[in-house]
Amino acid sequence: MIESLFIMSRESKEVLVEKHWGNITERTACTNFWDEVAKLPNIKEMPMVLTFMDLYLFHFTQGGLVLLCCCAGETPPLLVVEFMSAICAILTDYFGDTKERTIRAHFVTVYQLLEEVCDSGMPLLTSPSVLKEIVPPPTILNRLNSTIQGTKGVVVSDQLPDCLASNVPWRRSNIKYTSNDILFDITEEVDATIDNQGRLVTAGVVGTVVCICSLSGMPDITVTFTNPSILDDARLHPCVRYARFAGDKSLSFVPPDGTFTLMQYRVKSGNQCSGASSGNATLNRGGHRGMPSLPIYVKPQINFSQGSGRVNIMVGPKADLGKSVEGIVVIFQLPPDTLHTDLTANVGTVHIDVANNRAKWEVGKLPKELTPVLSGSVRYHYDEHEGSNSLEPAPIVTVDFLVEGVTISGNSVDTLSLCNENYKPYKAVKLKTKAGLFEVRP
C-alpha cells in the first residue's frame, strides 16, 4: 500500500507537492533520501528501493522532478514504479513538461489529479483521457469558466465518465473528429559502451512506440510491423490484446483518445543491426554479432599528468543509416580544482561548466567535408607531495546524438487496418534513433 507521495525539485531538493493516502509520512524521509543521493556521483546510481524506519522508499526521476513514494509493508516494486511513471506521463500530457515552475504554476490541478489517480493507497485511474473528463486541463476556456462560476482553481466534474462502466474503460464514447488521424512515433535508443580502441563492449537497443490517436467512434485497429522478429521483452498498453501479439507480433487494440505509449520493446539479441525503415540491415563493421552498427564513432585521447593535460577528441560517421546524424553532444569530466582550460573545436561550440568541472562540446550536425575535432590543454592544481596519488585518470566520455527518419533496427509500421467504423483513417509514422547511455571508456 502506498502511504505517501512527495514530488520534489531535482535542482533545489524542495518538496513541491505532498499527498498522503494513509498514515502521514514526515518530511524527514525526503531528507534521508537526499542524504543518500549526496553519497553518490549521480542520482541514477541510487538503488530503486531504500528503507527508512518502517517504510520502503521508491524513487523515480523525470525532467526536473523527483518522485518519492513511501510504502508500508511488502509492496510489489514494479507496481509503485509504474504508478510514478504514470503520474509523470499524466503531468506531461496535461502541462507539456515536468519542470519545477510548471508544477508551481498548476499546483491545484496537480493536487486534484493526485486525488483521482489513487484510492486508499492503491492506483485507480491513470489514463489521461479519462482523467480529463473529471479534472479539466488548465486551458483559457476552463479558467474563464471557473471565473464565471465564482470558483477558484479547478472545477471538478461531479459525474463519473461513461467509459468507467464499459468494457473499454480507457476510451470514452461518442468521440467525433472532422478528420480522423492516427500517428505512430517510434523512437529507438542506443545504449553502448565502447573501449579506447573503438570496439563495442556492450550494446543494446530499446524502442518506444507512442501513438497519437484522433479517431471518431470506437475503432478497432490492427497494426503490423515491417520487422516483427526483432521485438523482444515487449511492454504493452492495457488496450492491446496480448493473445494476438503473442501469436504473430501484431497489435490489435481499441485505442485511447489522445497521446499514449502503445508499446515498449527491446531489440532481440542477434538482430540489433542498422538499416533503414524498409528493413534492410547490415552487421556492424566491428563484426560483433548481435550488436548494433553505430551511426558515429568517437575517438578520445585524454591524458592528465602532474597538473596539466592534453585533450583530443575526434567524431565522425560510421554506419550509414540513410539519414544525417544531428544533435551530437560530447561531455566529459575535467579534473577537480581545474585552473585553466584552452579547448577549441573546428566544428560546433565548447562550453565549460566551472562549478561542476565539466566540458560540453556541442557538435550539432555532422558536416560532410570536415571531420569534427576538439583539442586543447587543461591545467589543474597538482600537489607534489602526494605524487602519483594526485594523478587524474582519463574520464569517461558520454555522447548524445539524434537521427531523424530512421530506426537503427529497421523497424516501422507496415500496415494498419480498421474495423467497427466506416471511414478510412490517415496514418502517419515518425521514426527516430537517438543515444541512450552511450559511453566511451578509457
Side-chain angles (χ1 to χ4, degrees), residues 166-230:
S166 71
N167 293 328
V168 190
W170 54 82
R171 185 178 179 87
R172 68 183 190 272
S173 58
N174 300 323
I175 299 176
K176 294 182 180 179
Y177 289 99
T178 54
S179 111
N180 295 285
D181 308 327
I182 184 167
L183 168 66
F184 296 95
D185 190 347
I186 303 178
T187 302
E188 290 188 347
E189 294 189 9
V190 182
D191 298 329
T193 302
I194 305 171
D195 64 12
N196 55 5
Q197 301 297 322
R199 294 187 296 262
L200 271 173
V201 179
T202 61
V205 178
V206 178
T208 303
V209 181
V210 175
C211 182
I212 304 175
C213 178
S214 301
L215 300 178
S216 304
M218 194 69 67
D220 197 323
I221 295 175
T222 301
V223 173
T224 62
F225 295 97
T226 56
N227 196 6
S229 62
I230 61 115

Side-chain angles (χ1 to χ4, degrees), residues 38-110:
K39 299 176 183 178
L40 300 171
N42 195 301
I43 193 172
K44 295 181 180 179
E45 305 288 336
M46 278 286 291
M48 187 58 67
V49 185
L50 301 174
T51 56
F52 173 71
M53 299 176 63
D54 58 344
L55 295 174
Y56 293 99
L57 306 182
F58 299 82
H59 68 94
F60 187 87
T61 304
Q62 180 168 320
L65 302 180
V66 177
L67 277 65
L68 186 69
C69 261
C70 306
C71 302
E74 294 291 339
T75 306
L78 289 179
L79 171 68
V80 184
V81 174
E82 182 65 22
F83 174 65
M84 293 188 289
S85 175
I87 289 178
C88 289
I90 292 169
L91 297 178
T92 303
D93 189 272
Y94 263 73
F95 313 123
D97 56 53
T98 52
K99 297 180 180 178
E100 178 182 350
R101 66 171 182 269
T102 303
I103 302 302
R104 292 185 183 275
H106 303 288
F107 173 84
V108 177
T109 304
V110 173

